[in-house]
Amino acid sequence: MNAEDQKRLLREMIFYRRFEDRTFEAYMERKIGGFLHLYSGQEAVATGVLEMARTGHDYVITGYRDHVHAIKTGAPPREVMAELYGKQTGSSRGRGGSMHIFDPTVHFMGGYALVGQPFPLAAGLALACKHKGSDQIAICFLGDGANNQGTFHETMNMASVWKLPVLFVCENNLYAIGTRIERSTAVTDQYKRVCGYNIPSSQHDGQNIETVMEAAKNAIDHVRGGNGPYFIEFMTYRHRGHSMSDAKGYRNKEEEEQWLKRDPIVLYTEKLRKAGVLSDKDIKAMEKAIDDEIENEIIKFAEESPEPRVEDLTKYVLDDNPDPRWIGPLQK
Amino acid sequence: MAEIAYWEAIRRAHDEELANDPMVIVMGEDIGVAGGTYKATLGLYDKYGESRIIDTPISENSYTGVGIGASMAGMRPIIEIMSINFALLALDTLINAAAKIRYMSGGRVQCPIVMRTPGGTAHQLAAQHSARLARMFMSTSGLRVVTPRGPLDACGMLKSAVRCNDPVIIIEHERMYNLKEEVPDEEYFRPLEGAEVVREGSDITLIGYNYSVHLCLEAAKRLEKDGISAEVVDLRALKPLDRETIRRSVEKTHRFLVAEEDEAPVGVGAEIMAVVTEDCFYALDAQPARVHAADVPVPYNHTLEKAAIPDADDVYQSALKVMGKI
């Protein structure tokens, strides 16, 4: 990889971290409501995998920790922020909020709050790709906790039987909400669990972005090559609690400190600094530019955008312009 | 015009829509090689192949989810669930996903799926094959729910459902699959909205949906012999509900009952009662009635099953009561 791409990827990860930090502040100021699940600590996974995908062409779907996946797929960050603010200019017109970011213009098909629900939806997106004879694939990001849902097993089975072009990315952050993996899961290595469905799989370090990219490339090549699904597991760790209401009482300090040392941004910054790609001064300038962008463009847009109109409350429930040939009225 | 059975009408709608649009696919248990439990997809596997007529594993929630995901990318899946009881397994993908995705994406993503399923009691299939869950889907925002009473609607409404951009739940009935009716030879569509007066009358309105329309029609014939003129309204669509047709009929006859195979508490009948109370309370000359199933899991024993489920005589007796004759 060339130095420009390396710098860009580091900048992207720092941007995602600052973006999430800023949503935390807005949440504390009560400008963002509901539940807010932050991605900080896991940035190398979404960034690395989607760097290797054809974003805007392939379909991407995930759970409720979805801001970064949406942005890396191509959703404009200011629309994602406006969604968190509940504004009409938001990705989902203020109807979805943090957990339900959608941007079909770049094939980001949503964040979902039902753990494990995106598995079959992803397989369906892949079925459509295959049916159309397209070289598109579907990429489904979910956590280790989702693998204890029935949808995991049902979908792995169908994806394998029908050889669907779907990549399942398991972000194993060791906790299903607040329950540690070995307390909830008989087989803690998640990649081993799909062998019962004849799906090839592998496990990798999710904190080193270049490792993620290399592994993702192989997996994506496999899927795009018409060989059916692939399941890829990345070991990672979230810095913050499950959501804003979570004080992380179930984790111990030593474990957190160990993982903080392996923070993906810290690791990559060190690597690029050592390689002479970036100086401390460059990093400072980068951070400053990111903060300015977030404040002056993204937050400003979200703050100044209009609220949805109350008279539009029942819009979007059903097709707002249905064809009378199918709908009626019934000829009496 | 030719007379065809209900199952043949469904099969015809599938065939025409599959031929019309390559994005139409059919998914379900035993619908392909086996031809469908109620023959609704008979012969289509041979005609359209395994990529469009998809035999699924017994994984209702996830294969419904696969259909939903495919619909989000432009496909038009028709999903068969063998019995409405099994649809309970698919409620997560149907209610938490299909019904909500358009709304929670701000209208940017749609899920044009059709889910077909028989919902009702057949003969001694016992509690886990006899559920009637119309009321549950009827109370879910973001869905359309229709109940074709015969072959004409079964074919015409399924075709409309495939072309409509919303998720549509079609509730059929095991006891209707062999019911016959004349349908046009040329292609036709029947709308997904609107109740229908299927028999004109002036003394009392009998409101039904799905199989109970036939109970109402039979009861109306007996009432005629007693000199009572009964109007029969088929709701056809439970969601959205056609309140206007209900109001017009009740304002004409001033008396009504609502008949359904569902249990009563919080049933479709309760909603119709509320609608009449809100829309035309002062038009009523008599206390209305609900005819419904007993509030029990459906028993296996023939006699007990018969006692649990309303029949035409129950509708007839109830109508006499509303008329003040007993």
mmCIF file of all heavy atoms in Angstrom, chain B residues 218-261:
data_model
loop_
_atom_site.group_PDB
_atom_site.id
_atom_site.type_symbol
_atom_site.label_atom_id
_atom_site.label_comp_id
_atom_site.label_asym_id
_atom_site.label_seq_id
_atom_site.Cartn_x
_atom_site.Cartn_y
_atom_site.Cartn_z
ATOM 1 N N GLU B 218 -74.754 -18.185 4.039
ATOM 2 C CA GLU B 218 -75.661 -19.308 4.333
ATOM 3 C C GLU B 218 -76.734 -18.869 5.327
ATOM 4 O O GLU B 218 -77.919 -19.186 5.167
ATOM 5 C CB GLU B 218 -74.826 -20.464 4.899
ATOM 6 C CG GLU B 218 -75.425 -21.825 4.632
ATOM 7 C CD GLU B 218 -74.551 -22.932 5.223
ATOM 8 O OE1 GLU B 218 -73.309 -22.873 5.057
ATOM 9 O OE2 GLU B 218 -75.121 -23.832 5.881
ATOM 10 N N ALA B 219 -76.305 -18.136 6.340
ATOM 11 C CA ALA B 219 -77.256 -17.638 7.342
ATOM 12 C C ALA B 219 -78.265 -16.697 6.688
ATOM 13 O O ALA B 219 -79.462 -16.738 7.005
ATOM 14 C CB ALA B 219 -76.504 -16.927 8.467
ATOM 15 N N ALA B 220 -77.811 -15.880 5.746
ATOM 16 C CA ALA B 220 -78.702 -14.924 5.068
ATOM 17 C C ALA B 220 -79.807 -15.657 4.310
ATOM 18 O O ALA B 220 -80.959 -15.218 4.288
ATOM 19 C CB ALA B 220 -77.889 -14.044 4.119
ATOM 20 N N LYS B 221 -79.453 -16.796 3.699
ATOM 21 C CA LYS B 221 -80.456 -17.590 2.975
ATOM 22 C C LYS B 221 -81.543 -18.091 3.930
ATOM 23 O O LYS B 221 -82.726 -18.072 3.618
ATOM 24 C CB LYS B 221 -79.771 -18.793 2.308
ATOM 25 C CG LYS B 221 -79.226 -18.490 0.937
ATOM 26 C CD LYS B 221 -78.801 -19.798 0.255
ATOM 27 C CE LYS B 221 -77.578 -19.547 -0.620
ATOM 28 N NZ LYS B 221 -76.819 -20.794 -0.859
ATOM 29 N N ARG B 222 -81.121 -18.564 5.104
ATOM 30 C CA ARG B 222 -82.103 -19.069 6.086
ATOM 31 C C ARG B 222 -82.954 -17.918 6.612
ATOM 32 O O ARG B 222 -84.154 -18.083 6.835
ATOM 33 C CB ARG B 222 -81.370 -19.756 7.238
ATOM 34 C CG ARG B 222 -80.856 -21.134 6.845
ATOM 35 C CD ARG B 222 -80.125 -21.813 7.989
ATOM 36 N NE ARG B 222 -80.992 -22.094 9.131
ATOM 37 C CZ ARG B 222 -80.537 -22.600 10.274
ATOM 38 N NH1 ARG B 222 -79.244 -22.856 10.425
ATOM 39 N NH2 ARG B 222 -81.367 -22.836 11.264
ATOM 40 N N LEU B 223 -82.325 -16.765 6.828
ATOM 41 C CA LEU B 223 -83.073 -15.612 7.353
ATOM 42 C C LEU B 223 -84.142 -15.172 6.354
ATOM 43 O O LEU B 223 -85.227 -14.737 6.741
ATOM 44 C CB LEU B 223 -82.107 -14.454 7.655
ATOM 45 C CG LEU B 223 -81.178 -14.673 8.853
ATOM 46 C CD1 LEU B 223 -80.034 -13.658 8.855
ATOM 47 C CD2 LEU B 223 -81.956 -14.572 10.173
ATOM 48 N N GLU B 224 -83.822 -15.315 5.075
ATOM 49 C CA GLU B 224 -84.769 -14.922 4.036
ATOM 50 C C GLU B 224 -86.075 -15.723 4.167
ATOM 51 O O GLU B 224 -87.170 -15.187 4.001
ATOM 52 C CB GLU B 224 -84.128 -15.168 2.667
ATOM 53 C CG GLU B 224 -84.845 -14.437 1.558
ATOM 54 C CD GLU B 224 -84.121 -14.568 0.213
ATOM 55 O OE1 GLU B 224 -83.069 -15.243 0.157
ATOM 56 O OE2 GLU B 224 -84.619 -14.001 -0.761
ATOM 57 N N LYS B 225 -85.936 -16.997 4.510
ATOM 58 C CA LYS B 225 -87.118 -17.854 4.686
ATOM 59 C C LYS B 225 -87.967 -17.381 5.864
ATOM 60 O O LYS B 225 -89.155 -17.633 5.930
ATOM 61 C CB LYS B 225 -86.681 -19.304 4.900
ATOM 62 C CG LYS B 225 -86.172 -19.941 3.621
ATOM 63 C CD LYS B 225 -85.731 -21.373 3.858
ATOM 64 C CE LYS B 225 -84.972 -21.902 2.653
ATOM 65 N NZ LYS B 225 -84.013 -22.949 3.029
ATOM 66 N N ASP B 226 -87.300 -16.700 6.822
ATOM 67 C CA ASP B 226 -88.028 -16.156 7.984
ATOM 68 C C ASP B 226 -88.538 -14.746 7.695
ATOM 69 O O ASP B 226 -89.031 -14.064 8.598
ATOM 70 C CB ASP B 226 -87.108 -16.084 9.212
ATOM 71 C CG ASP B 226 -86.610 -17.454 9.625
ATOM 72 O OD1 ASP B 226 -87.299 -18.447 9.321
ATOM 73 O OD2 ASP B 226 -85.530 -17.534 10.242
ATOM 74 N N GLY B 227 -88.349 -14.291 6.469
ATOM 75 C CA GLY B 227 -88.803 -12.953 6.112
ATOM 76 C C GLY B 227 -87.856 -11.843 6.522
ATOM 77 O O GLY B 227 -88.234 -10.682 6.605
ATOM 78 N N ILE B 228 -86.596 -12.220 6.823
ATOM 79 C CA ILE B 228 -85.608 -11.205 7.209
ATOM 80 C C ILE B 228 -84.628 -11.003 6.058
ATOM 81 O O ILE B 228 -84.031 -11.965 5.563
ATOM 82 C CB ILE B 228 -84.856 -11.627 8.491
ATOM 83 C CG1 ILE B 228 -85.842 -11.716 9.661
ATOM 84 C CG2 ILE B 228 -83.724 -10.653 8.806
ATOM 85 C CD1 ILE B 228 -85.293 -12.424 10.878
ATOM 86 N N SER B 229 -84.466 -9.756 5.655
ATOM 87 C CA SER B 229 -83.580 -9.447 4.533
ATOM 88 C C SER B 229 -82.196 -9.059 5.063
ATOM 89 O O SER B 229 -82.015 -7.990 5.635
ATOM 90 C CB SER B 229 -84.195 -8.302 3.720
ATOM 91 O OG SER B 229 -83.218 -7.752 2.865
ATOM 92 N N ALA B 230 -81.217 -9.961 4.879
ATOM 93 C CA ALA B 230 -79.870 -9.715 5.417
ATOM 94 C C ALA B 230 -78.920 -9.257 4.323
ATOM 95 O O ALA B 230 -78.891 -9.821 3.226
ATOM 96 C CB ALA B 230 -79.334 -10.975 6.079
ATOM 97 N N GLU B 231 -78.144 -8.238 4.645
ATOM 98 C CA GLU B 231 -77.079 -7.784 3.747
ATOM 99 C C GLU B 231 -75.773 -8.414 4.251
ATOM 100 O O GLU B 231 -75.544 -8.476 5.450
ATOM 101 C CB GLU B 231 -76.989 -6.247 3.781
ATOM 102 C CG GLU B 231 -75.872 -5.688 2.937
ATOM 103 C CD GLU B 231 -76.227 -4.300 2.389
ATOM 104 O OE1 GLU B 231 -77.256 -4.178 1.700
ATOM 105 O OE2 GLU B 231 -75.467 -3.354 2.664
ATOM 106 N N VAL B 232 -74.939 -8.864 3.315
ATOM 107 C CA VAL B 232 -73.663 -9.464 3.729
ATOM 108 C C VAL B 232 -72.510 -8.607 3.200
ATOM 109 O O VAL B 232 -72.441 -8.313 2.009
ATOM 110 C CB VAL B 232 -73.528 -10.920 3.222
ATOM 111 C CG1 VAL B 232 -72.154 -11.488 3.574
ATOM 112 C CG2 VAL B 232 -74.631 -11.793 3.827
ATOM 113 N N VAL B 233 -71.640 -8.225 4.111
ATOM 114 C CA VAL B 233 -70.461 -7.440 3.740
ATOM 115 C C VAL B 233 -69.209 -8.282 3.956
ATOM 116 O O VAL B 233 -68.994 -8.810 5.046
ATOM 117 C CB VAL B 233 -70.362 -6.135 4.573
ATOM 118 C CG1 VAL B 233 -69.039 -5.426 4.310
ATOM 119 C CG2 VAL B 233 -71.529 -5.212 4.281
ATOM 120 N N ASP B 234 -68.409 -8.423 2.896
ATOM 121 C CA ASP B 234 -67.103 -9.079 3.011
ATOM 122 C C ASP B 234 -66.066 -7.979 3.214
ATOM 123 O O ASP B 234 -65.893 -7.121 2.339
ATOM 124 C CB ASP B 234 -66.808 -9.869 1.728
ATOM 125 C CG ASP B 234 -65.395 -10.462 1.722
ATOM 126 O OD1 ASP B 234 -64.718 -10.416 2.781
ATOM 127 O OD2 ASP B 234 -64.970 -10.948 0.660
ATOM 128 N N LEU B 235 -65.361 -8.010 4.320
ATOM 129 C CA LEU B 235 -64.371 -6.950 4.585
ATOM 130 C C LEU B 235 -63.254 -6.966 3.544
ATOM 131 O O LEU B 235 -62.667 -5.941 3.227
ATOM 132 C CB LEU B 235 -63.790 -7.096 5.993
ATOM 133 C CG LEU B 235 -64.773 -6.871 7.146
ATOM 134 C CD1 LEU B 235 -64.087 -7.187 8.475
ATOM 135 C CD2 LEU B 235 -65.287 -5.432 7.159
ATOM 136 N N ARG B 236 -62.898 -8.132 3.026
ATOM 137 C CA ARG B 236 -61.836 -8.321 2.007
ATOM 138 C C ARG B 236 -60.459 -7.887 2.491
ATOM 139 O O ARG B 236 -59.511 -8.655 2.441
ATOM 140 C CB ARG B 236 -62.146 -7.572 0.712
ATOM 141 C CG ARG B 236 -63.312 -8.144 -0.082
ATOM 142 C CD ARG B 236 -63.526 -7.361 -1.384
ATOM 143 N NE ARG B 236 -62.555 -7.660 -2.395
ATOM 144 C CZ ARG B 236 -61.570 -6.849 -2.772
ATOM 145 N NH1 ARG B 236 -61.412 -5.674 -2.211
ATOM 146 N NH2 ARG B 236 -60.720 -7.215 -3.711
ATOM 147 N N ALA B 237 -60.365 -6.639 2.911
ATOM 148 C CA ALA B 237 -59.077 -6.114 3.393
ATOM 149 C C ALA B 237 -59.248 -5.758 4.857
ATOM 150 O O ALA B 237 -60.131 -4.977 5.203
ATOM 151 C CB ALA B 237 -58.679 -4.895 2.585
ATOM 152 N N LEU B 238 -58.431 -6.330 5.699
ATOM 153 C CA LEU B 238 -58.503 -5.987 7.128
ATOM 154 C C LEU B 238 -57.641 -4.767 7.414
ATOM 155 O O LEU B 238 -57.854 -4.042 8.368
ATOM 156 C CB LEU B 238 -58.034 -7.167 7.979
ATOM 157 C CG LEU B 238 -58.856 -8.448 7.836
ATOM 158 C CD1 LEU B 238 -58.315 -9.523 8.775
ATOM 159 C CD2 LEU B 238 -60.330 -8.191 8.129
ATOM 160 N N LYS B 239 -56.636 -4.578 6.542
ATOM 161 C CA LYS B 239 -55.755 -3.428 6.731
ATOM 162 C C LYS B 239 -55.252 -2.950 5.392
ATOM 163 O O LYS B 239 -54.644 -3.753 4.689
ATOM 164 C CB LYS B 239 -54.585 -3.825 7.630
ATOM 165 C CG LYS B 239 -53.806 -2.640 8.134
ATOM 166 C CD LYS B 239 -52.792 -3.066 9.163
ATOM 167 C CE LYS B 239 -52.135 -1.857 9.763
ATOM 168 N NZ LYS B 239 -53.020 -1.124 10.673
ATOM 169 N N PRO B 240 -55.501 -1.721 4.985
ATOM 170 C CA PRO B 240 -56.373 -0.757 5.665
ATOM 171 C C PRO B 240 -57.835 -1.196 5.578
ATOM 172 O O PRO B 240 -58.231 -1.812 4.587
ATOM 173 C CB PRO B 240 -56.164 0.535 4.883
ATOM 174 C CG PRO B 240 -55.042 0.312 3.924
ATOM 175 C CD PRO B 240 -54.908 -1.156 3.751
ATOM 176 N N LEU B 241 -58.612 -0.837 6.576
ATOM 177 C CA LEU B 241 -60.011 -1.240 6.683
ATOM 178 C C LEU B 241 -60.897 -0.201 5.988
ATOM 179 O O LEU B 241 -60.678 0.998 6.134
ATOM 180 C CB LEU B 241 -60.365 -1.333 8.174
ATOM 181 C CG LEU B 241 -61.721 -1.907 8.543
ATOM 182 C CD1 LEU B 241 -61.815 -3.386 8.179
ATOM 183 C CD2 LEU B 241 -61.975 -1.710 10.034
ATOM 184 N N ASP B 242 -61.909 -0.691 5.257
ATOM 185 C CA ASP B 242 -62.840 0.190 4.546
ATOM 186 C C ASP B 242 -64.011 0.530 5.480
ATOM 187 O O ASP B 242 -65.031 -0.146 5.500
ATOM 188 C CB ASP B 242 -63.310 -0.531 3.280
ATOM 189 C CG ASP B 242 -64.365 0.244 2.503
ATOM 190 O OD1 ASP B 242 -64.659 1.394 2.879
ATOM 191 O OD2 ASP B 242 -64.882 -0.326 1.523
ATOM 192 N N ARG B 243 -63.843 1.582 6.251
ATOM 193 C CA ARG B 243 -64.871 1.965 7.235
ATOM 194 C C ARG B 243 -66.128 2.486 6.546
ATOM 195 O O ARG B 243 -67.236 2.353 7.073
ATOM 196 C CB ARG B 243 -64.309 3.047 8.174
ATOM 197 C CG ARG B 243 -63.120 2.579 8.974
ATOM 198 C CD ARG B 243 -62.461 3.732 9.738
ATOM 199 N NE ARG B 243 -63.281 4.200 10.838
ATOM 200 C CZ ARG B 243 -62.866 4.273 12.119
ATOM 201 N NH1 ARG B 243 -61.642 3.908 12.439
ATOM 202 N NH2 ARG B 243 -63.668 4.725 13.049
ATOM 203 N N GLU B 244 -65.934 3.074 5.384
ATOM 204 C CA GLU B 244 -67.030 3.721 4.666
ATOM 205 C C GLU B 244 -68.116 2.706 4.272
ATOM 206 O O GLU B 244 -69.305 2.964 4.464
ATOM 207 C CB GLU B 244 -66.432 4.422 3.430
ATOM 208 C CG GLU B 244 -67.399 5.168 2.561
ATOM 209 C CD GLU B 244 -68.158 6.279 3.282
ATOM 210 O OE1 GLU B 244 -67.653 6.772 4.314
ATOM 211 O OE2 GLU B 244 -69.265 6.639 2.822
ATOM 212 N N THR B 245 -67.694 1.572 3.741
ATOM 213 C CA THR B 245 -68.676 0.559 3.318
ATOM 214 C C THR B 245 -69.425 -0.003 4.516
ATOM 215 O O THR B 245 -70.626 -0.271 4.447
ATOM 216 C CB THR B 245 -67.957 -0.552 2.519
ATOM 217 O OG1 THR B 245 -67.379 0.051 1.357
ATOM 218 C CG2 THR B 245 -68.898 -1.654 2.098
ATOM 219 N N ILE B 246 -68.726 -0.176 5.636
ATOM 220 C CA ILE B 246 -69.377 -0.661 6.861
ATOM 221 C C ILE B 246 -70.436 0.351 7.298
ATOM 222 O O ILE B 246 -71.584 0.007 7.583
ATOM 223 C CB ILE B 246 -68.330 -0.862 7.989
ATOM 224 C CG1 ILE B 246 -67.309 -1.928 7.584
ATOM 225 C CG2 ILE B 246 -69.014 -1.230 9.305
ATOM 226 C CD1 ILE B 246 -66.079 -1.984 8.490
ATOM 227 N N ARG B 247 -70.042 1.615 7.333
ATOM 228 C CA ARG B 247 -70.964 2.659 7.788
ATOM 229 C C ARG B 247 -72.200 2.729 6.886
ATOM 230 O O ARG B 247 -73.323 2.767 7.361
ATOM 231 C CB ARG B 247 -70.250 4.020 7.800
ATOM 232 C CG ARG B 247 -71.110 5.165 8.337
ATOM 233 C CD ARG B 247 -70.438 6.521 8.190
ATOM 234 N NE ARG B 247 -70.152 6.871 6.806
ATOM 235 C CZ ARG B 247 -71.073 7.272 5.914
ATOM 236 N NH1 ARG B 247 -72.326 7.405 6.269
ATOM 237 N NH2 ARG B 247 -70.709 7.549 4.688
ATOM 238 N N ARG B 248 -71.968 2.699 5.595
ATOM 239 C CA ARG B 248 -73.099 2.827 4.669
ATOM 240 C C ARG B 248 -74.099 1.687 4.858
ATOM 241 O O ARG B 248 -75.307 1.903 4.849
ATOM 242 C CB ARG B 248 -72.583 2.866 3.229
ATOM 243 C CG ARG B 248 -72.969 4.184 2.541
ATOM 244 C CD ARG B 248 -72.591 4.229 1.084
ATOM 245 N NE ARG B 248 -71.154 4.307 0.917
ATOM 246 C CZ ARG B 248 -70.442 3.489 0.169
ATOM 247 N NH1 ARG B 248 -71.008 2.506 -0.492
ATOM 248 N NH2 ARG B 248 -69.134 3.634 0.079
ATOM 249 N N SER B 249 -73.578 0.486 5.051
ATOM 250 C CA SER B 249 -74.475 -0.659 5.205
ATOM 251 C C SER B 249 -75.242 -0.581 6.528
ATOM 252 O O SER B 249 -76.443 -0.838 6.572
ATOM 253 C CB SER B 249 -73.671 -1.960 5.122
ATOM 254 O OG SER B 249 -74.546 -3.059 5.220
ATOM 255 N N VAL B 250 -74.538 -0.222 7.599
ATOM 256 C CA VAL B 250 -75.204 -0.157 8.912
ATOM 257 C C VAL B 250 -76.231 0.977 8.928
ATOM 258 O O VAL B 250 -77.318 0.842 9.509
ATOM 259 C CB VAL B 250 -74.160 -0.011 10.046
ATOM 260 C CG1 VAL B 250 -74.840 0.256 11.387
ATOM 261 C CG2 VAL B 250 -73.297 -1.264 10.136
ATOM 262 N N GLU B 251 -75.942 2.067 8.246
ATOM 263 C CA GLU B 251 -76.914 3.172 8.191
ATOM 264 C C GLU B 251 -78.153 2.787 7.388
ATOM 265 O O GLU B 251 -79.224 3.358 7.565
ATOM 266 C CB GLU B 251 -76.251 4.430 7.606
ATOM 267 C CG GLU B 251 -75.359 5.118 8.627
ATOM 268 C CD GLU B 251 -74.699 6.385 8.107
ATOM 269 O OE1 GLU B 251 -74.739 6.609 6.880
ATOM 270 O OE2 GLU B 251 -74.138 7.126 8.933
ATOM 271 N N LYS B 252 -77.986 1.784 6.523
ATOM 272 C CA LYS B 252 -79.115 1.319 5.708
ATOM 273 C C LYS B 252 -79.969 0.309 6.480
ATOM 274 O O LYS B 252 -81.197 0.393 6.471
ATOM 275 C CB LYS B 252 -78.539 0.667 4.448
ATOM 276 C CG LYS B 252 -79.535 0.055 3.491
ATOM 277 C CD LYS B 252 -78.764 -0.473 2.265
ATOM 278 C CE LYS B 252 -79.449 -1.664 1.632
ATOM 279 N NZ LYS B 252 -78.548 -2.328 0.675
ATOM 280 N N THR B 253 -79.314 -0.632 7.187
ATOM 281 C CA THR B 253 -80.075 -1.715 7.836
ATOM 282 C C THR B 253 -80.345 -1.438 9.316
ATOM 283 O O THR B 253 -81.228 -2.052 9.900
ATOM 284 C CB THR B 253 -79.298 -3.038 7.743
ATOM 285 O OG1 THR B 253 -78.062 -2.897 8.468
ATOM 286 C CG2 THR B 253 -78.990 -3.408 6.295
ATOM 287 N N HIS B 254 -79.556 -0.590 9.930
ATOM 288 C CA HIS B 254 -79.694 -0.212 11.348
ATOM 289 C C HIS B 254 -79.419 -1.347 12.342
ATOM 290 O O HIS B 254 -79.662 -1.198 13.540
ATOM 291 C CB HIS B 254 -81.080 0.404 11.618
ATOM 292 C CG HIS B 254 -81.383 1.562 10.718
ATOM 293 N ND1 HIS B 254 -80.773 2.780 10.855
ATOM 294 C CD2 HIS B 254 -82.209 1.663 9.638
ATOM 295 C CE1 HIS B 254 -81.217 3.605 9.909
ATOM 296 N NE2 HIS B 254 -82.078 2.946 9.145
ATOM 297 N N ARG B 255 -78.981 -2.479 11.841
ATOM 298 C CA ARG B 255 -78.645 -3.595 12.738
ATOM 299 C C ARG B 255 -77.447 -4.327 12.133
ATOM 300 O O ARG B 255 -77.340 -4.425 10.910
ATOM 301 C CB ARG B 255 -79.804 -4.592 12.853
ATOM 302 C CG ARG B 255 -81.018 -4.056 13.544
ATOM 303 C CD ARG B 255 -82.164 -5.056 13.450
ATOM 304 N NE ARG B 255 -83.359 -4.509 14.068
ATOM 305 C CZ ARG B 255 -84.195 -3.671 13.460
ATOM 306 N NH1 ARG B 255 -83.980 -3.318 12.210
ATOM 307 N NH2 ARG B 255 -85.253 -3.207 14.087
ATOM 308 N N PHE B 256 -76.594 -4.878 12.996
ATOM 309 C CA PHE B 256 -75.498 -5.668 12.414
ATOM 310 C C PHE B 256 -74.946 -6.683 13.401
ATOM 311 O O PHE B 256 -75.133 -6.588 14.621
ATOM 312 C CB PHE B 256 -74.381 -4.749 11.900
ATOM 313 C CG PHE B 256 -73.374 -4.329 12.948
ATOM 314 C CD1 PHE B 256 -72.127 -4.970 13.045
ATOM 315 C CD2 PHE B 256 -73.658 -3.314 13.845
ATOM 316 C CE1 PHE B 256 -71.197 -4.590 14.002
ATOM 317 C CE2 PHE B 256 -72.732 -2.923 14.810
ATOM 318 C CZ PHE B 256 -71.502 -3.567 14.892
ATOM 319 N N LEU B 257 -74.282 -7.648 12.815
ATOM 320 C CA LEU B 257 -73.432 -8.535 13.614
ATOM 321 C C LEU B 257 -72.151 -8.740 12.823
ATOM 322 O O LEU B 257 -72.098 -8.501 11.614
ATOM 323 C CB LEU B 257 -74.124 -9.877 13.921
ATOM 324 C CG LEU B 257 -74.466 -10.837 12.785
ATOM 325 C CD1 LEU B 257 -73.241 -11.603 12.296
ATOM 326 C CD2 LEU B 257 -75.510 -11.839 13.280
ATOM 327 N N VAL B 258 -71.106 -9.168 13.526
ATOM 328 C CA VAL B 258 -69.855 -9.467 12.846
ATOM 329 C C VAL B 258 -69.465 -10.900 13.189
ATOM 330 O O VAL B 258 -69.512 -11.299 14.357
ATOM 331 C CB VAL B 258 -68.757 -8.424 13.178
ATOM 332 C CG1 VAL B 258 -68.587 -8.231 14.657
ATOM 333 C CG2 VAL B 258 -67.435 -8.769 12.517
ATOM 334 N N ALA B 259 -69.170 -11.680 12.147
ATOM 335 C CA ALA B 259 -68.869 -13.102 12.332
ATOM 336 C C ALA B 259 -67.431 -13.395 11.942
ATOM 337 O O ALA B 259 -66.956 -12.939 10.899
ATOM 338 C CB ALA B 259 -69.803 -13.942 11.473
ATOM 339 N N GLU B 260 -66.761 -14.131 12.790
ATOM 340 C CA GLU B 260 -65.363 -14.475 12.498
ATOM 341 C C GLU B 260 -65.000 -15.803 13.137
ATOM 342 O O GLU B 260 -65.625 -16.237 14.094
ATOM 343 C CB GLU B 260 -64.425 -13.385 13.019
ATOM 344 C CG GLU B 260 -64.506 -13.167 14.526
ATOM 345 C CD GLU B 260 -63.558 -12.076 15.000
ATOM 346 O OE1 GLU B 260 -62.482 -11.970 14.425
ATOM 347 O OE2 GLU B 260 -63.924 -11.360 15.943
ATOM 348 N N GLU B 261 -63.967 -16.423 12.580
ATOM 349 C CA GLU B 261 -63.507 -17.684 13.134
ATOM 350 C C GLU B 261 -62.470 -17.457 14.229
ATOM 351 O O GLU B 261 -62.100 -18.374 14.952
ATOM 352 C CB GLU B 261 -62.910 -18.544 12.011
ATOM 353 C CG GLU B 261 -63.250 -20.004 12.161
ATOM 354 C CD GLU B 261 -62.587 -20.846 11.104
ATOM 355 O OE1 GLU B 261 -61.429 -21.252 11.300
ATOM 356 O OE2 GLU B 261 -63.219 -21.085 10.075
#
